[in-house]
Structure formats: structure tokens, C-alpha cells
Amino acid sequence: MNDAAYNFGYLDEQTKRMIRRSILKAVAIPGYQVPFGSREMPLPYGWGTGGIQVTAAIIGIGDVLKVIDQGADDTTNAVSIRRFFSRMCGMATTEKTAEASIIQTRHRIPERPLSEGQILVYQVPIPEPLRWLEPRESETRKMHALREYGVMHVKLYEDIATKGKVATAYDYPVLVNGRYIMRPSPIPKFDTPKMHRNAALQLFGAGREKRIYAVPPHTDVVPLDFEDHPFAVETWDRPCALCGAGNTFLDEIVVNDRGGRLFVCSDTDYCNERQEAGHRGDGGAGLEAAE
Amino acid sequence: MYVATKGGETAIANAHALMAEDRRGDPKVQEIGAEQIREQLSLGVDRVMAEGSLYDPDLAALALKQARGDQVEAIFLLRAYRTTLPRFGYSEPVDTAAMHVHRRISATFKDVPGGQILGPTFDYTHRVIEPVTAAEEAPRSPEPLPYPLPRVAGVLGREGLLEDTPTACEEAITDLTREPLRFPADRAARLQVLARGDEGFLLGMGYSTQRGYGRSHPFAGEIRMGDVAVEFVAPELGFAIDLGDITLTECDMVNQFKGSKTEPPQFTRGYGLVFGFGERKAMAMALVDRAMRAEELGEEVTAPAQDIEFVLYHADNVEASGFVQHLKLPHHVDFQSELTLIRAMRTEQEALKEAAE
């Protein structure tokens, strides 16, 4: 099954060991960005090379891999990454969250709660939470070392002062284990609370930026907010049109050129399982048509 | 309708098939081979080797064919292959003073010991499109080229007018293909990034220094292109063995320097070195290298080319191409979050307006 010319998981064993060492350091210092010797992968930077390297370093023949992009198993990039690992490792893959031992994800956390022993690998485009406030890496590393996070609170405050609320919808900054401010990768705010004390190990790989960081199981992950402006997640005024779930992140699908829209679960596995269990939505009966 | 927005295996397979068909072009036209690319489009091959940081003309030519002539894509293919190669050691530093020169010019002196040797250059051609004529027999130099060819820098160096060549590095040199870039980045690390960096980016950056953004008064002290031997000391042998020759282009740029409290006024240097015949890149690299030495030489850092982090983080075209183009991957979850936020903010604003009225 796997391409004989390449090592199991594409990377050579020395490289995988180097990455695992970085992962161990990351787990030991939750939220701290560990620089690592990121390699060029046969997929482009920006396509999840960090996550792919982390997965390649930890995966074994007994693992069951699930790959999602925007919550779905069948988006093109998720399909492509899953095929890459099937080809390079020949291990089993799944679309079921419950069956997976490793879940590589881009932009979502599955709706079904994860359990102990599972590993969630995030693909990270920009790992540095302070980057938009300070473009220089030499500066931001100092700021983390000195825990100099005032600028971030000022930024959030300025948002509230000028816009009435924190104008960050995804990749919302969090404080990990009471020490490091961390970017959760571009997951929607909706998913941020799922990181808090999650039973699964959460690993983050940024290939182009050459950083790995981690949140060990059951670790505190707290979104930054103010007492009088508490953190709040997105809500929708209707349930999923397919499975009727009222507590999930919904994708908005434009279904016609009159602005008709359908709202459905972004997590396809969760939605399918609910439908198989007999749950039904209104199928878009109340299709919204903008005039 | 719902499924249509999500891709799938079939779509990917079809895209691959279409790409293969387009790559072949009109089947009535004869297919080109990698050897033809290697021999007849050699400067394209050289660039792929330089930025792919792997000296292998056959593979680079094959990559160019597979990439349909797209240089950055070919560079990416070579890099991805390079990652998988085992590392069994590092070669001895190549000695460019001992280069078998095909071309060597200096813009700072009318004549230099060993002479000005134009070699195979576009420089004095008239850029008129014409059917490429069959190769004429190349002129033979009446006498063999002197070897080794003395360096132009030596002429200025003897008078103490030019800063010294950095001496051999005692500490292990960072290998940026194995370790991440760290700051402050020393010159060896910076030159590695530049050597792998995108020619277009460096050209623009170098050009900007000539137009006043970090002006450094450059002169092309010497440009040489030719073959050098790569040597490797195998621990079990204990002496250097010759692995073969590679073609390199080297540029020694000479720049003005006002002097400082400790240093008398003298010329400083910027350095460029690339695989193959890549003069444009080598010269641009030398300009940018010198610009990034601003802080070291006590000059004010004001221009983009002098900003080390800015240059080093944005010079790599495999990184840049990937991240720019990743914007075409689906982002509908993030976009949905933004939509929800903007709708909420608009609703609040409307409500405030109504309340005010």
C-alpha cells in the first residue's frame, strides 16, 4: 500500500524523532511555541504542512486517522491529506470522530467531545498571537518570555471602545495554563471553549513558520475577555436544516441566485450520525429568500 | 445541492488528468525530453537548482518538465525531494579562488590581472527576436585561460582599502534546511536564505537600494562564473576526496563606507553566490547582503532591504507561493464567523440609530 521508495510517513526516522522531541517540549510547556526544523513537504505551505509533519511524526501502523477541513471529511484538501497518509503509511482512515486515534484538522474542532487517548492535530497558518500587534519575531519572543501581554488587552479594549465588542470572530486569543497567550489556529470562536480541559491531547503544527505548540489533556484554556464584556460564541437563530441540531456550528449554503440560504452543520460526521439516528431538520422548508 | 459545495476524490482525480493532458499540449507536436531541457534551457535549470538548493541538472530538468515550465513549481518539486535525502555529512567549503573560470569581469578596473573574460553572456547582444540559429562553432581562446585567476579584491585588499574577507568560521554553521531561522541571524544564516531566496524578490530588494532605499554606492568588484570542485572528508578515510565539479556564479560587490571611530574609511563588501549561471541573482544577492549589514556597520536602518527580519522571512518563494495561494482553499467556516459578527454589529448599530431617532 505505501510507496516503497519513501519511509513510513514520508519523513525519515531522524526527522520524525526531531519533531517528536519538539512535541515533547511543547507538551511540557503548554502554549509555548517551540521552533523546529520544519521540512519541505510534498504539499504546499499553507495546505497544512505543519499538521502533516506532526501527524507523520506520531502516527503508527495501528493508528486510525481522520482528516477534516472546515469540519468536513470530504473537502478537497482533507481528501488530499488523507490520501497522502494512506499512501505513505497504509494505516486505516475513518470519517468517524469516535473511531479516530488521530484527527488532523483545519479550522474546526469536532462537535462530538473527544476522549482520552485521542490526539487532535491542528494546522496552523500563523502561530504567533501577537503578530498583528508586533510584526517582529525577535520582539514577540521577548514579550512572551516577559509575559508582556498588555498590548493584547489594550487591543481587545480598543475593539470594545470603538466597536462595542471584540471584533475577532476566529482564531480568538486564549491563555493556556495561566501562562502563555496562544493562537488556537483559525477555529471559530464557537470552538474555543472546547479546548478548555479537553481530554484529548491537542498538538499544533505551523510548517512555514516552523513552530510546534501543544495543549496537554485537561489543561486550562481560557479566552481573553473582560468581566463586563465576557467572551461569547456565535449563535444561529435556527437549527441545522438536515439533522435539526441546535447546538452546532452551521455553514451557510447559498442555494439560489435570489439569496436563498440553507444552514447546515459544518461537522459532516456529526450531522450524518444524527441523521442516521433518525433526527431530521426542516430540510430548508423556511428557505430564506432575500428580496 | 449541498454536496456540490464539498469536493471529493473524483474531482481531484479529474483535475490531475486534465493537468496531465494540458502538460502534454498538442499531441501532434513532438514531446520534449528532460535532456533537451537540461541542455537547451540550461539557465532555467540553473535557477531551479539554485532556489531548490539541490545541485542536480537532470532532476531539475525533469522537475521543469513536470511543472510545465513553471519555475517556482519546479523549485518546490526539487525541495520536496531534497527533504527526503539522508544527510551523511557536509562538504569542505568550496574554493572559488580556484575556480575554472568561464566568465570573469570587474567593473572597478579597466583591466585586471588575468584579464576581463566575457564568456557566454547576453550582455552585448541586441534583444531582437530571431529564429535561434544553429550554434556556430565557439571561438577558442588563443591561449588557455590563466588558472587560478587572481581575485580582483586582492588588488584593493593589499592597500587596506577593502575590508578583509571574513575568516573561516570556528563555530558550526547553521543549516537552515535542518534548523529554523532564529534571530539575531548571523551573516552565514542570512546568506543561506538569500542563496535559496526568490530571484525576483531579491532583484526588487536589491534594486530598491540603488534607488535610495538604503543606498550603499555599489560597484561590481568582480563577477566570476565557472566550475569548482566539491570535496568531502570521509571520517573513515581522513582526507578529502573529490566528489565532482559544480558550476557557480559569484559576485563580490564593493561598497562605500564612511568609516567609524574604530575603522578608517574603506570599501565594504556584499556577497552573492548561486548554483549555475545566475548573474542577476548573484548581483541582487550581493546588494541585499550588504544592505542587511547596515546595523553591523553602524548605519541607520531605514529601508526595507536593510530590515533583516523583513527580508529573511519573505525571500523564500516556496513558502510565499504556498501561503499566498492557500487563500484559495475553503475558508467558509472563518468567513461564516465573520459574517455572524458583522451581522450582529450591524443589528446593534441599527438599534442604536433607531433609539437615537
Side-chain angles (χ1 to χ4, degrees):
Chain A
M1 183 76 181
N2 60 322
D3 276 23
Y6 293 101
N7 192 34
F8 183 86
Y10 190 77
L11 297 168
D12 61 276
E13 292 303 316
Q14 286 300 320
T15 300
K16 290 200 275 186
R17 180 192 283 181
M18 174 274 293
I19 295 173
R20 285 195 291 265
R21 281 190 186 134
S22 305
I23 293 172
L24 286 174
K25 181 168 179 180
V27 170
I29 319 171
Y32 170 75
Q33 300 166 54
V34 182
F36 82 112
S38 175
R39 302 291 195 257
E40 272 103 355
M41 297 302 287
L43 282 82
Y45 287 119
W47 262 246
T49 53
I52 293 169
Q53 288 181 75
V54 167
T55 301
I58 60 172
I59 201 165
I61 193 69
D63 274 305
V64 180
L65 179 69
K66 171 182 164 83
V67 183
I68 51 172
D69 187 337
Q70 315 288 304
D73 298 88
D74 60 352
T75 39
T76 36
N77 199 42
V79 170
S80 164
I81 293 172
R82 193 164 54 239
R83 270 176 30 164
F84 173 74
F85 280 109
S86 296
R87 193 174 152 188
M88 293 299 163
C89 304
M91 75 304 128
T93 61
T94 182
E95 297 195 355
K96 300 224 171 293
T97 301
E99 288 173 6
S101 59
I102 301 173
I103 302 170
Q104 183 169 327
T105 178
R106 178 170 170 263
H107 297 195
R108 277 308 314 272
I109 297 175
E111 305 289 3
R112 168 194 275 274
L114 300 174
S115 52
E116 219 143 296
Q118 287 187 302
I119 301 176
L120 188 57
V121 178
Y122 296 77
Q123 302 171 194
V124 180
I126 305 273
E128 179 49 66
L130 305 168
R131 183 60 70 236
W132 309 149
L133 307 169
E134 168 53 61
R136 261 156 238 286
E137 176 69 10
S138 42
E139 282 302 312
T140 51
R141 286 192 75 80
K142 265 183 242 161
M143 290 160 80
H144 281 293
L146 300 172
R147 216 167 151 176
E148 199 182 291
Y149 292 143
V151 285
M152 183 60 97
H153 292 284
V154 170
K155 189 253 169 201
L156 298 178
Y157 170 76
E158 281 178 350
D159 266 13
I160 292 168
T162 57
K163 304 183 184 96
K165 57 171 68 184
V166 176
T168 299
Y170 59 89
D171 218 344
Y172 193 96
V174 292
L175 185 69
V176 178
N177 201 30
R179 175 57 181 87
Y180 285 100
I181 287 188
M182 184 188 91
R183 270 179 107 123
S185 88
I187 56 168
K189 267 200 310 188
F190 183 89
D191 285 342
T192 311
K194 295 180 192 163
M195 303 180 99
H196 183 56
R197 296 185 186 171
N198 197 310
L201 169 62
Q202 302 175 75
L203 302 177
F204 301 78
R208 191 176 37 78
E209 299 280 341
K210 302 168 180 60
R211 297 289 184 272
I212 284 173
Y213 51 101
V215 174
H218 309 294
T219 304
D220 283 353
V221 178
V222 183
L224 301 180
D225 61 359
F226 298 98
E227 273 172 26
D228 52 347
H229 278 90
F231 174 85
V233 302
E234 301 89 334
T235 51
W236 285 261
D237 54 7
R238 74 201 80 186
C240 169
L242 298 178
C243 76
N247 57 347
T248 61
F249 187 93
L250 301 181
D251 279 349
E252 180 173 341
I253 316 283
V254 178
V255 289
N256 57 37
D257 56 5
R258 297 182 306 281
R261 283 164 293 176
L262 200 63
F263 286 81
V264 299
C265 288
S266 135
D267 184 335
T268 46
D269 171 56
Y270 188 79
C271 194
N272 290 341
E273 276 192 357
R274 278 182 52 86
Q275 290 177 63
E276 278 160 24
H279 298 280
R280 285 286 176 270
D282 64 5
L287 252 191
E288 187 183 317
E291 293 308 318
Chain B
M1 64 188 165
Y2 172 54
V3 178
T5 63
K6 312 241 164 170
E9 303 250 358
T10 329
I12 293 179
N14 290 345
H16 289 179
L18 279 172
M19 205 247 307
E21 190 182 304
D22 273 11
R23 172 164 48 217
R24 178 60 185 87
D26 185 346
K28 288 199 284 289
V29 176
Q30 197 183 358
E31 184 177 353
I32 50 168
E35 293 95 350
Q36 289 165 302
I37 294 172
R38 186 192 65 210
E39 296 302 317
Q40 295 169 36
L41 299 176
S42 58
L43 299 185
V45 170
D46 284 355
R47 182 174 170 199
V48 172
M49 294 196 300
E51 292 167 37
S53 48
L54 182 70
Y55 197 94
D56 189 327
D58 292 303
L59 271 183
L62 192 59
L64 262 176
K65 186 184 177 194
Q66 188 179 329
R68 303 171 62 190
D70 184 316
Q71 296 254 314
V72 177
E73 183 67 25
I75 290 161
F76 180 19
L77 285 170
L78 213 58
R79 288 259 192 102
Y81 171 71
R82 185 191 193 280
T83 325
T84 65
L85 299 176
R87 191 67 58 102
F88 57 84
Y90 292 87
S91 76
E92 294 295 290
V94 291
D95 182 7
T96 52
M99 179 184 276
H100 286 270
V101 162
H102 302 313
R103 169 172 167 78
R104 191 282 294 267
I105 53 162
S106 169
T108 49
F109 295 100
K110 186 172 184 197
D111 202 3
V112 281
Q116 306 266 17
I117 301 157
L118 282 188
T121 177
F122 288 124
D123 283 354
Y124 304 100
T125 62
H126 297 150
R127 268 60 165 210
V128 179
I129 294 183
E130 46 198 345
V132 181
T133 46
E136 294 164 23
E137 191 161 336
R140 293 281 154 238
S141 169
E143 62 228 56
L145 292 176
Y147 173 83
L149 206 53
R151 283 178 186 282
V152 175
V155 180
L156 288 168
R158 263 192 294 280
E159 269 187 82
L161 297 178
L162 184 66
E163 65 171 330
D164 289 334
T165 317
T167 45
C169 191
E170 294 298 318
E171 306 138 47
I173 290 176
T174 318
D175 178 353
L176 289 177
T177 65
R178 301 276 125 169
E179 300 152 48
L181 183 61
R182 286 170 203 264
F183 293 95
D186 61 16
R187 196 168 173 206
R190 299 195 309 249
L191 286 169
Q192 278 179 58
V193 175
L194 298 184
R196 286 157 61 88
D198 182 73
E199 178 173 321
F201 176 81
L202 295 185
L203 185 64
M205 280 288 145
Y207 177 46
S208 71
T209 68
Q210 290 180 280
R211 290 196 64 263
Y213 289 87
R215 180 149 165 70
S216 62
H217 309 270
F219 296 97
E222 178 172 359
I223 296 162
R224 53 168 66 195
M225 183 274 286
D227 303 327
V228 296
V230 179
E231 293 185 327
F232 179 74
V233 178
E236 53 271 49
L237 291 176
F239 54 86
I241 48 168
D242 194 333
L243 298 180
D245 286 358
I246 60 172
T247 305
L248 294 176
T249 306
E250 184 185 52
C251 173
D252 212 347
M253 201 67 87
V254 175
N255 305 266
Q256 215 178 65
F257 173 54
K258 290 191 189 74
S260 65
K261 280 185 191 134
T262 52
E263 298 282 328
Q266 60 177 344
F267 291 106
T268 55
R269 310 161 84 168
Y271 186 72
L273 184 74
V274 294
F275 281 161
F277 188 11
E279 210 158 272
R280 191 191 297 122
K281 162 90 182 263
M283 294 178 77
M285 175 174 170
L287 289 175
V288 179
D289 170 47
R290 175 58 183 78
M292 284 197 287
R293 295 180 62 205
E295 199 182 336
E296 171 203 338
L297 295 169
E299 297 166 349
E300 207 183 342
V301 176
T302 52
Q306 297 170 321
D307 187 327
I308 295 175
E309 271 205 34
F310 179 80
V311 172
L312 297 190
Y313 267 133
H314 304 111
D316 194 285
N317 55 26
V318 178
E319 289 176 3
S321 162
F323 199 51
V324 166
Q325 294 198 69
H326 106 287
L327 291 174
K328 63 195 169 190
L329 291 179
H331 282 81
H332 53 257
V333 165
D334 320 354
F335 190 69
Q336 185 65 50
S337 300
E338 296 261 280
L339 266 180
T340 312
L341 179 68
I342 286 185
R343 280 181 186 140
M345 285 167 76
R346 285 174 69 104
T347 314
E348 278 167 28
Q349 202 179 45
E350 294 289 313
L352 278 175
K353 244 194 218 162
E354 272 168 33
E357 283 162 11

